Amino acid sequence: MRAAASFVDSFYDDAVGMLKAPGALFIDVFIRGNYSADSNGGYAWLLRRLGDAEDVFGNATGAAELRARAARVEAAMGARLWAGDHFVT
């Protein structure tokens, strides 16, 4: 799990607090660029589930770090992608 997660993490931009993951979504043909709400929402969810897994294996420090990153991503989404009544993609 950690190795697979590290691939996803390679798209994380610490300065912005979100994934920069350009590319087509599997549900449509739009090409996303830079920071998209769908990718980052999924990333925050993934980080929280990985935190749950780290808890199961007794790694409370790792779990806390993953949850803290999820919170940073969610905060960045709110600050950068919220348009008043919806998230922009």
Side-chain angles (χ1 to χ4, degrees), residues 21-32 36 38-39 89:
L25 291 175
F26 60 89
I27 60 171
D28 60 29
V29 296
F30 293 122
I31 302 299
R32 304 295 196 253
S36 65
D38 39 18
S39 296
T89 297

Side-chain angles (χ1 to χ4, degrees), residues 4-73:
S6 71
F7 172 75
V8 177
D9 287 338
S10 71
F11 294 97
Y12 181 71
D13 182 342
D14 193 49
V16 175
M18 291 188 290
L19 287 182
K20 184 176 184 180
L25 291 175
F26 60 89
I27 60 171
D28 60 29
V29 296
F30 293 122
I31 302 299
R32 304 295 196 253
N34 300 316
Y35 308 95
S36 65
D38 39 18
S39 296
N40 281 283
Y43 183 53
W45 180 89
L46 173 66
L47 291 168
R48 292 189 186 284
R49 299 301 71 78
L50 290 171
D52 294 344
E54 291 291 359
D55 275 337
V56 168
F57 290 105
N59 183 3
T61 301
E65 289 171 358
L66 289 163
R67 291 184 182 115
R69 181 178 285 191
R72 283 193 308 272
V73 170

